């Protein structure tokens, strides 16, 4: 739907108040490398994709908030002074969480109407929920003329998910949805929350996302379990080493190996993944900056092996997609996002693109009975008004 049609729909859904209004977009993301490192104060390298959530917003003269999800065709209404988790309309909690966090900053909000629609496939690990939080934060702060910088907004959106929605995610998804830049991946330091732009505009290669169509069933409980195991590793190393260790970011691979026999097997494997993955992210930055796509591709495959064997967050279907990419001699492939389903990210030579898409669809279907969805995306811009 174009912008005018969306405003027409907005007008049909809500009364026209003749108050401040605006239109906003926030993208989903694919993580190129650096998985399960963000909550370990480590490094990640995601890019925003050319799929997004679009939101129209307008102030109201009272203290009500009304949300309309165009895709679900559902309209809900709440009171700004009484926001509570909605068991029935689960999607509305992402928006309420953001409002709650803005109010916690001490901002006095007035009522507003929000309408949104999106084309980021849900539950596929491309961060549709982070995009929804970020676009909501952008809409509300803009309408109320609240000044908040990009990193602060990403952190606020993350808190909305942690506190209101109840998912203990790290900062990566909200960060890239807010701060992504066209033709670039971002190397984010999740300890300092600084980023560096990593150019990704290669005439010969294309990022291709393969959706396994496996819904990420176990993801929340397993995610929290991995976080606990990482904390266990940190406590273990901190007690034994003479340097300050507050996160796995502070640990060297040598140290992990030194204590291999004393660590619980799972804890050892989790630490090994996180520590080695941080090294791979930094090596990937150099590979991309020097246009060494072969090296970057190798690092992607290595990341997948580590996630599958040591961090144990892959699944049969994701492994099949990565194996098929290897069989097709694709430069690089790995699972992306939290795991247990969702998508793989592939680094594909443009000359091989059509053949890759056709072959992987056919062979994946043969092996699993599932029709994979394939998306080709360049790095897009982060959230913005339009
Ligand atoms: C999810 C979380 C992120 C990150 C990834 C794994 O997408 O939201 O914060 O932890 O999993 O890398």
């Amino acid at each position: 739907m174009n912008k005018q049609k969306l405003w027409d729909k907005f007008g049909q859904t809500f009364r026209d108040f003749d108050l401040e209004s605006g239109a906003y977009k926030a993208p989903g993301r694919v993580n190129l490398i650096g998985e399960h490192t963000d909550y370990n104060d480590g490094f990640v390298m995601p890019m925003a994709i050319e799929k997004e959530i679009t939101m129209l917003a307008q102030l109201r003269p009272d203290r009500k908030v009304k949300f309309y999800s165009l895709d679900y065709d559902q309209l809900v209404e709440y009171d700004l002074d009484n926001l509570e988790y909605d068991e029935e309309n689960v999607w509305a909690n992402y928006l309420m969480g953001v409002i709650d966090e803005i109010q916690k900053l001490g901002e006095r909000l007035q009522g507003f109407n929000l309408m949104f629609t999106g084309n980021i496939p849900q539950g596929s690990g491309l961060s549709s929920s982070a995009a929804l939080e970020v676009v909501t934060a952008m809409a509300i702060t803009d309408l109320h003329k609240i000044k908040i910088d990009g990193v602060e907004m990403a952190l606020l959106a993350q808190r909305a998910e942690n506190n209101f929605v109840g998912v203990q995610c790290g900062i990566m998804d909200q960060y890239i949805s807010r701060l992504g830049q066209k033709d670039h991946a971002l190397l984010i330091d999740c300890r300092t929350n600084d980023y560096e732009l990593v150019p990704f505009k290669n005439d010969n290669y294309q990022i291709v996302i393969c959706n396994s169509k496996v819904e990420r069933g176990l993801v929340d409980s397993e995610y929290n379990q991995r976080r606990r195991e990482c904390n266990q590793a940190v406590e273990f190393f901190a007690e034994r080493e003479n340097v300050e260790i507050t996160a796995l970011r502070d640990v060297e691979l040598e140290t992990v190996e030194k204590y291999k026999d004393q660590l619980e097997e799972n804890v050892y494997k989790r630490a090994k993944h996180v520590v080695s993955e941080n090294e791979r992210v930094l090596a990937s930055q150099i590979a991309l900056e020097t246009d060494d796509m072969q090296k970057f591709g190798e690092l992607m495959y290595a990341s997948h092996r580590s996630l599958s064997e040591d961090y144990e967050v892959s699944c049969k279907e994701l492994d099949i997609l990565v194996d098929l990419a290897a069989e097709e001699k694709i430069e690089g492939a790995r699972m992306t996002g939290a795991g247990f389903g969702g998508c793989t990210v592939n680094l594909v030579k443009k000359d091989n693109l059509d053949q890759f898409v056709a072959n992987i669809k056919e062979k994946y279907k043969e092996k699993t009975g599932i029709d994979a969805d394939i998306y080709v995306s360049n790095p897009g811009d982060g959230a913005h008004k339009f």
Side-chain angles (χ1 to χ4, degrees), residues 49 191 210 215 242 279 386:
I49 55 173
R191 169 165 275 168
C210 298
E215 291 255 343
N242 277 334
E279 289 181 359
F386 75 104

Side-chain angles (χ1 to χ4, degrees), residues 29 31 33-40 44 125-127 129-130 158 161 167-174 216 219 223 227 273 277 307 311 313 334-339:
R29 65 101 185 89
N31 188 16
I33 197 158
E35 218 64 82
H36 290 278
T37 44
D38 62 350
Y39 53 82
N40 288 299
V44 293
L126 299 178
S127 294
S129 37
Q158 181 200 14
E161 178 132 359
V167 176
Q168 295 310 309
C169 64
I171 185 59
M172 170 169 66
D173 308 341
Q174 290 80 7
R216 302 168 308 145
V219 72
Y223 190 91
R227 292 195 69 146
H273 164 72
E277 183 79 350
L307 285 158
Y311 217 64
V313 290
R334 56 181 290 279
M335 57 155 272
T336 184

Side-chain angles (χ1 to χ4, degrees), residues 255-286:
T255 311
V256 180
E257 293 304 334
K258 183 164 103 190
Y259 293 108
K260 181 173 179 187
D261 297 336
Q262 294 174 47
L263 281 161
E264 267 176 49
E265 194 191 347
N266 275 353
V267 176
Y268 161 74
K269 284 161 81 176
R270 308 309 185 232
K272 184 175 164 213
H273 164 72
V274 173
V275 173
S276 63
E277 183 79 350
N278 276 330
E279 289 181 359
R280 283 186 288 272
V281 179
L282 298 177
S284 296
Q285 179 187 22
I286 295 171

Side-chain angles (χ1 to χ4, degrees), residues 128-272:
S128 57
S129 37
L132 183 53
E133 289 151 2
V134 168
V135 79
T136 304
M138 184 156 254
I140 300 173
T141 51
D142 188 57
L143 290 184
H144 289 83
K145 310 224 173 342
I146 297 169
K147 291 246 168 314
I148 175 166
D149 75 22
V151 173
E152 285 305 319
M153 190 183 288
L155 288 165
L156 183 140
Q158 181 200 14
R159 289 198 300 276
E161 178 132 359
N162 292 165
N163 299 334
F164 205 90
V165 181
V167 176
Q168 295 310 309
C169 64
I171 185 59
M172 170 169 66
D173 308 341
Q174 290 80 7
Y175 196 113
I176 187 68
S177 179
R178 176 63 187 82
L179 289 153
Q181 285 198 26
K182 194 171 172 6
D183 296 332
H184 293 84
L186 257 55
L187 180 106
I188 306 169
D189 179 334
C190 300
R191 169 165 275 168
T192 61
N193 289 326
D194 289 333
Y195 70 87
E196 283 175 53
L197 288 174
V198 183
F200 193 95
K201 192 175 185 327
N202 190 296
D203 292 337
N204 303 319
Y205 287 90
Q206 183 73 55
I207 291 296
V208 181
I209 300 162
C210 298
N211 187 349
S212 69
K213 300 280 250 334
V214 177
E215 291 255 343
R216 302 168 308 145
L218 285 168
V219 72
D220 287 350
S221 59
E222 291 287 342
Y223 190 91
N224 291 338
Q225 173 69 17
R226 294 299 177 282
R227 292 195 69 146
R228 279 195 294 275
E229 287 163 342
C230 290
N231 289 339
Q232 249 178 286
V234 171
E235 271 174 36
F236 179 97
F237 294 126
E239 274 172 21
R240 284 163 183 81
E241 289 291 289
N242 277 334
V243 285
E244 199 188 347
I245 294 175
T246 58
L248 283 177
R249 158 76 169 269
D250 304 315
V251 178
E252 308 280 331
L253 208 48
E254 238 181 12
T255 311
V256 180
E257 293 304 334
K258 183 164 103 190
Y259 293 108
K260 181 173 179 187
D261 297 336
Q262 294 174 47
L263 281 161
E264 267 176 49
E265 194 191 347
N266 275 353
V267 176
Y268 161 74
K269 284 161 81 176
R270 308 309 185 232
K272 184 175 164 213

